[in-house]
Amino acid sequence: MEETEDFVGQGPHPVDDDLFKEPMKKRRRSDRDQRFRAFPSVEQSALKEYEKLESRTRRVLSNTYQKLIHSVFLDDSIPNGVKYLINRLLALIEKPSLDPIYIGLFGSTGAGKSSLINAIIQQAMFLPVSGESICTSCIVQVSSGCCEQYEAKIHLLSDQAEELSVKLDPYIRTHRRDLDGESAETQIWPLIKHVEVTLPKSEMIPEGVVLVDIPGTGDFNSKRDEMWKKTIDKCSVIWLISDIERVSGGRAHEDLLNESIKACQRGFCRDIALVVTKTDKLHLLEYLRERKVGNQAIQSQREAVLERNEVIKLQRNGILKEKLKRKLPADSKVLEASDLVYTVSAQEYWQQALLTEEETEIPKLRGYIRKRLLDKKRRMVTKYVTEAFGLLLLTDSFNCMENLPNEFLHMSGLRRFVEEKIQLLEKVIDQCFAHIKQPLQEGVRNAKASYRRILGTCLVRSRGNQGFHQTLKAVCLKNGIYASRTLARIDLNEAITQPIYDQIDPVFGGIFRAGKPTGSALLPHVEAFKHSLQEKMMEIGIRSGWKYDSYKKSFLIQEISAILGGLEDYILRKKRRIYESLTTSVQSDLKPCYEEAAQIAGKKACERMKDVIRRGVDRQVAEGMFERAQERMQHQFQQLKNGITEKVKGSIATMLTLASSQGDGLYKELADVKSEYKEMEKLHRGLREVAENAVLRRGMQDFLLKMSPSKVVPPKS
C-alpha cells in the first residue's frame, strides 16, 4: 500500500548480496490447471498456451541463470557486464506472473455491493448484506487462489464458506441496533482497517482478480479514510454501484461518481461503469401508469423489468458519457466502451423467478472480468517472452569474441544520438506540461471569485446548527476533512479548490492518457522516444553490417523496451501526488486556522468556529493561498520531468556501456548457453502462433454461439 520510488526497468540491481540467490520454484502443473477453472474452454485453451509459453520461458531463464552462476562462482572478481546480466535474469525469473486486477465496487450503504460480490463468487450469504441493522464496515477484498498478502494480526481459516462467514462477522459487520431498537453490543470492526478473503480455486472468479467492497464515501477514522482513498486509487476498474431506486439522482450518487472520476485522474483506474442493482424491484401497475416508452403492450412483470432495464441503460449511458466527457480527455478509452451501464439482479440470479441467469447480467460481469484478465495475461506474456529473448541474445553473445574490435566503432555515434534524443525528450515533456499552465491560472481566478460562496454552502445547514457543532469540530480536528457513514463526506480543502480542478481536469487527464504522440499526452511521447532509439539501432545495424553483432542490435532494442516500459508505472505512481498537490497545499496553509477553530467551546461555539474558518480562509486567500497551490503543482510536474530524464539517462548509459567493448573487462568466457538460446528463439516465434490460434478460436466460438438455440425463459408472471 505504501507509495514507492522503484523503477521497474532500471539497470542493474544491487549485485553482491543477491548475486547467487536461488530463483523461485516453478508452479506445479496441477496448480496451473486449477487456475483456469473460471474460463470457458476456448478461453482456457488460450490461457494455457500463454501459461505454457511463460512457464517454459522461466525454465530457460532459470537454466541460463544456473549456468552463469556456476561459471563465475569461483572468480575473484566478476565483470560488470556479467553482474548486470545475472541480476537481470534473476529479476525476470522472480517477476510476478501477473499483477492482480483490482475491481472496486464503490457505492453507498445498501446499494447492493456485497450481494453482487456474493452472486459473482457463487456464495449466497458470504459477505454481509446491508439491512436496517447491518452493513459492511470496512474495506473487504475477495479473490480466488493466491493474491496480495497484508501483514495481519489475525488469521481465520475454514473449509466451508458458511463457517468462515460466521467467523468474519464481527470484523466486517456493523450492528447498528438490536431487534428492540437498542444499541447493539460493540463489535470488533472499529479496530479493523482491511479484511482480505481468499477463496479456493473458483469456477466463477479467476485467480489474479480482486473484488474490492469499498463502503460509502470514506471513514471518520483518519487512517481508515486514507486507506479508503488509496484502495480506490489502486483499482484499475471501478464499478459504481447504485440500486434501481436511487440511480436517477441524489447527492450521494453524484458524490460517488465524482470520486470515481477523480480516481481516473489521480490513480490507476482506466475503466468506469455504472452497475444498477436490484432491478427486479418493480411495482407493475405503477410502472404501467407512468410508462412513457414503447407501443407494445406489456404482458408480464418480466417484460416490464426487461423494458425498464433497456430504458435505464440508454438514459444512464448518455448521462454518464456526458459527465465523463466533461472531466476526461475526448479520446479516453473509457468513452469508447460499449458497456458503460449494467442492470443486474442478485436476487433473481439465485431465484430466477422472473429472469434467466443471463438476463440478470451476473454472467456478463464475469465475462468482463475474464476478458480483462485474458487481455492482461496476453500483454504480460508477450512482453515477458520478448524481454527474455533479448537477454538470451546477449548471454549467447558473451562467447562470440570474433570481429568485436571492428563492430564496436559505431557506439560513439549511437551515444551522441541518444544524448540528442534525451534533450529533445526534455523539451517535449516541457511542452506537454506547459498545457496545464493556462487552465491552472483560470482555475485560480475562479477559485478566488467563488470560495466564499462554496465555503458558505459547506458551513451553513438548512436546519440550523443543531448537531452540526460536533461535526464541524471533527472537521477542524482532521484538518478540514470528515467522513462518516451517516453524513455526506465533508472536505473543505477539496471544496474550495474544486473550481481549479474543474478547469484542469480535461487537460490533466490528457497529459497522462495513452494515445497518439500529439498535443499534451506524455506517455505517447515516451513511446515515440523509445521507437526513435530502436529505429536508430536498426539503421546502424543495417548500414554497418552487424553480422557477428546482430545480437547486440536485438539486445539493445529489447532492453530499451524494458527500461522505458518501466517508466509508465513510475509516472502513474507520481500522478496521484501531483493531482492532490492543490488540496494538500491548501490544507497545509489552512492548518493553523483549523487548529484555532477546533479549540473553541462554550456559548455559540458553532458560529464562532465558522467565523474563525471564514476569516482564516480570507486571510490566506489574500496572502496568495491559491497561487501557492498553483506553484506547488507546477513544481511537482517539474520534479516528474527531472525524475524521468534522470532515470532514462542512467539506465540507457548503463545499457550502452554494457553493449560496448570499452570498460573494465565487460566480457569473459562463460558457460555455453546455445541450447537455451535456441529454445528461447523458438518460444519467441511461438508468440505469433498463440495469437493466431486465439483469433481462430474466437471466430469458431462466435459461429457456434450464433447457431446455438436460445435459452428457455422463466414463465410469465
Side-chain angles (χ1 to χ4, degrees):
M1 296 292 288
E2 291 295 326
E3 201 169 9
T4 63
E5 300 297 322
D6 294 338
F7 174 51
V8 176
Q10 182 180 354
H13 301 269
V15 292
D16 295 328
D17 294 336
D18 295 331
L19 194 62
F20 303 108
K21 180 179 176 182
E22 284 290 326
M24 294 184 303
K25 301 296 183 183
K26 62 184 181 181
R27 188 190 298 266
R28 290 181 302 175
R29 181 181 299 274
S30 59
D31 289 341
R32 293 201 302 269
D33 291 340
Q34 288 291 316
R35 300 176 70 193
F36 308 129
R37 291 176 60 192
F39 291 87
S41 57
V42 171
E43 294 174 351
Q44 278 191 29
S45 298
L47 270 171
K48 286 179 179 179
E49 287 186 340
Y50 281 119
E51 185 85 356
K52 187 176 180 181
L53 272 177
E54 180 191 349
S55 176
R56 289 172 64 185
T57 298
R58 289 184 187 275
R59 186 173 67 245
V60 171
L61 291 173
S62 183
N63 291 342
T64 305
Y65 176 84
Q66 297 292 343
K67 282 188 174 182
L68 292 189
I69 290 297
H70 285 113
S71 67
V72 300
F73 188 75
L74 298 177
D75 289 5
D76 294 331
S77 63
I78 302 174
N80 291 336
V82 178
K83 289 180 183 178
Y84 179 96
L85 185 59
I86 289 174
N87 282 311
R88 287 285 284 114
L89 283 168
L90 183 61
L92 264 185
I93 292 168
E94 297 194 337
K95 187 175 183 178
S97 181
L98 191 69
D99 291 330
I101 296 175
Y102 289 91
I103 300 179
L105 283 76
F106 191 30
S108 301
T109 298
K113 302 184 297 296
S114 300
S115 296
L116 180 57
I117 291 178
N118 288 340
I120 291 174
I121 67 175
Q122 195 76 10
Q123 298 291 337
M125 292 298 293
F126 185 68
L127 294 182
V129 177
S130 299
E132 185 178 348
S133 61
I134 298 176
C135 70
T136 309
S137 61
C138 61
I139 296 167
V140 180
Q141 288 187 187
V142 179
S143 58
S144 172
C146 300
C147 67
E148 183 177 358
Q149 297 294 321
Y150 290 91
E151 185 177 346
K153 59 189 180 288
I154 302 173
H155 291 273
L156 303 175
L157 299 174
S158 178
D159 293 332
Q160 299 296 322
E162 295 83 357
E163 182 182 339
L164 181 57
S165 181
V166 172
K167 291 181 179 180
L168 285 172
D169 184 280
Y171 299 97
I172 63 177
R173 305 177 197 242
T174 304
H175 291 258
R176 296 175 183 150
R177 63 184 68 89
D178 59 23
L179 296 176
D180 297 325
E182 300 296 328
S183 296
E185 63 181 71
T186 302
Q187 300 291 299
I188 304 173
W189 70 262
L191 305 175
I192 303 298
K193 301 174 187 175
H194 177 97
V195 172
E196 180 181 295
V197 182
T198 303
L199 303 174
K201 302 294 191 302
S202 170
E203 295 182 2
M204 300 301 163
I205 175 173
E207 183 180 340
V209 174
V210 182
L211 300 175
V212 191
D213 187 342
I214 307 174
T217 53
D219 197 286
F220 63 88
N221 179 292
S222 57
K223 290 184 178 179
R224 299 204 316 176
D225 191 64
E226 177 61 20
M227 178 169 281
W228 172 82
K229 290 186 76 172
K230 284 187 176 181
T231 301
I232 295 171
D233 288 348
K234 77 176 181 180
C235 292
S236 57
V237 178
I238 289 180
W239 288 344
L240 181 60
I241 313 298
S242 181
D243 76 48
I244 191 75
E245 294 177 345
R246 302 182 194 177
V247 72
S248 297
R251 179 177 172 183
H253 178 76
E254 285 301 309
D255 288 345
L256 292 167
L257 177 56
N258 289 333
E259 285 292 339
S260 301
I261 294 174
K262 285 175 185 173
C264 279
Q265 297 284 28
R266 69 180 181 235
F268 289 86
C269 180
R270 296 290 179 86
D271 200 358
I272 294 177
L274 172 64
V275 180
V276 184
T277 58
K278 308 178 185 179
T279 56
D280 56 284
K281 292 168 62 176
L282 180 140
H283 190 280
L284 184 57
L285 294 179
E286 183 178 327
Y287 175 77
L288 292 175
R289 185 175 66 247
E290 297 179 357
R291 183 173 176 243
K292 298 177 182 178
V293 295
N295 298 317
Q296 186 175 354
I298 293 292
Q299 301 294 328
S300 66
Q301 181 94 357
R302 175 179 176 274
E303 290 179 2
V305 167
L306 292 176
E307 181 183 80
R308 186 182 61 174
N309 286 352
E310 291 305 310
V311 171
I312 288 286
K313 281 185 179 181
L314 187 63
Q315 291 176 344
R316 302 312 301 182
N317 186 79
I319 293 171
L320 180 56
K321 187 162 286 191
E322 284 302 313
K323 181 87 172 179
L324 293 173
K325 281 181 179 178
R326 290 197 298 270
K327 293 286 187 178
L328 301 177
D331 59 350
S332 295
K333 288 188 177 181
V334 66
L335 296 175
E336 301 172 3
S338 56
D339 291 310
L340 278 177
V341 181
Y342 297 86
T343 50
V344 305
S345 171
Q347 181 168 310
E348 275 299 301
Y349 174 77
W350 300 111
Q351 297 178 354
Q352 296 185 28
L354 293 175
L355 306 176
T356 65
E357 181 177 302
E358 292 295 325
E359 288 167 344
T360 67
E361 298 204 351
I362 299 296
K364 192 173 184 180
L365 291 177
R366 289 187 188 135
Y368 171 90
I369 292 171
R370 292 196 305 268
K371 184 178 185 302
R372 290 280 303 199
L373 188 70
L374 185 57
D375 289 346
K376 188 169 184 178
K377 185 68 175 180
R378 174 181 52 79
R379 292 193 301 270
M380 175 265 164
V381 172
T382 300
K383 183 179 178 181
Y384 189 79
V385 173
T386 303
E387 192 173 342
F389 182 48
L391 281 177
L392 262 294
L393 283 167
L394 179 67
T395 307
D396 185 53
S397 74
F398 271 72
N399 291 319
C400 298
M401 302 298 292
E402 301 176 46
N403 295 340
L404 283 179
N406 298 325
E407 302 289 355
F408 288 118
L409 297 176
H410 313 288
M411 296 306 294
S412 60
L414 184 58
R415 289 180 191 277
R416 286 195 300 272
F417 177 82
V418 169
E419 289 171 2
E420 292 170 2
K421 282 296 180 180
I422 289 176
Q423 291 176 1
L424 182 60
L425 177 64
E426 290 186 72
K427 291 179 181 178
V428 168
I429 293 174
D430 281 332
Q431 291 169 2
C432 288
F433 293 169
H435 286 82
I436 203 74
K437 185 175 181 180
Q438 183 179 351
L440 258 178
Q441 292 172 340
E442 292 176 2
V444 166
R445 285 196 293 270
N446 293 346
K448 291 171 72 174
S450 60
Y451 77 90
R452 286 175 178 160
R453 173 183 56 79
I454 294 171
L455 200 58
T457 302
C458 295
L459 297 179
V460 176
R461 289 292 184 264
S462 59
R463 293 177 292 181
N465 292 334
Q466 184 177 4
F468 188 55
H469 167 255
Q470 292 299 325
T471 299
L472 189 56
K473 182 176 282 289
V475 169
C476 295
L477 287 170
K478 297 187 182 299
N479 294 322
I481 303 173
Y482 179 70
S484 75
R485 287 175 300 278
T486 56
L487 298 174
R489 183 182 182 85
I490 299 174
D491 190 333
L492 299 184
N493 313 300
E494 190 175 274
I496 61 178
T497 54
Q498 190 57 48
I500 308 180
Y501 284 112
D502 289 340
Q503 289 295 321
I504 70 167
D505 272 353
V507 177
F508 189 93
I511 289 173
F512 292 99
R513 78 181 188 275
K516 297 179 181 178
T518 57
S520 63
L522 172 61
L523 292 174
H525 284 296
V526 173
E527 188 73 10
F529 170 72
K530 178 185 80 174
H531 288 311
S532 69
L533 296 187
Q534 291 174 329
E535 287 171 3
K536 188 66 175 179
M537 307 297 176
M538 295 293 294
E539 177 191 325
I540 290 176
I542 293 171
R543 189 177 68 240
S544 307
W546 272 352
K547 296 178 181 177
Y548 296 98
D549 254 1
S550 61
Y551 75 89
K552 185 190 291 94
K553 175 188 67 179
S554 298
F555 162 72
L556 292 174
I557 289 172
Q558 302 302 340
E559 203 68 355
I560 286 170
S561 290
I563 289 170
L564 297 181
L567 268 183
E568 182 172 356
D569 286 338
Y570 170 77
I571 291 169
L572 291 178
R573 288 198 304 271
K574 287 290 188 182
K575 183 172 75 164
R576 182 188 183 198
R577 185 179 299 174
I578 297 173
Y579 190 75
E580 293 185 338
S581 62
L582 295 175
T583 52
T584 302
S585 175
V586 166
Q587 185 182 48
S588 176
D589 287 353
L590 293 178
K591 187 173 182 179
C593 159
Y594 294 137
E595 290 174 346
E596 181 184 351
Q599 300 302 316
I600 295 175
K603 190 175 181 181
K604 294 186 177 179
C606 192
E607 286 301 322
R608 288 158 55 204
M609 290 169 67
K610 292 180 184 179
D611 288 341
V612 168
I613 293 171
R614 290 190 184 102
R615 289 198 305 271
V617 175
D618 282 340
R619 182 171 60 253
Q620 288 296 329
V621 171
E623 294 175 359
M625 178 177 72
F626 290 124
E627 288 82 1
R628 284 193 297 275
Q630 174 187 343
E631 291 170 2
R632 285 166 180 164
M633 175 171 272
Q634 289 177 316
H635 178 68
Q636 290 285 337
F637 273 113
Q638 182 64 36
Q639 284 190 319
L640 175 59
K641 187 196 90 167
N642 295 341
I644 291 171
T645 54
E646 286 171 9
K647 290 176 184 299
V648 168
K649 286 177 182 177
S651 299
I652 292 184
T654 301
M655 181 192 70
L656 291 179
T657 300
L658 175 64
S660 70
S661 60
Q662 294 143 12
D664 54 338
L666 288 176
Y667 289 86
K668 78 179 297 302
E669 186 173 349
L670 295 173
D672 184 10
V673 293
K674 287 192 180 298
S675 61
E676 285 78 11
Y677 166 71
K678 289 180 179 178
E679 175 69 10
M680 199 65 244
E681 189 176 33
K682 187 191 304 181
L683 293 173
H684 190 251
R685 286 198 306 267
L687 282 174
R688 178 178 294 182
E689 296 176 12
V690 172
E692 290 172 350
N693 290 343
V695 172
L696 180 62
R697 289 193 192 97
R698 280 198 298 271
M700 294 172 62
Q701 183 184 41
D702 292 342
F703 174 77
L704 292 173
L705 286 174
K706 289 177 183 177
M707 300 299 293
S708 63
S710 301
K711 291 191 175 182
V712 179
V713 301
K716 294 180 181 180
S717 61

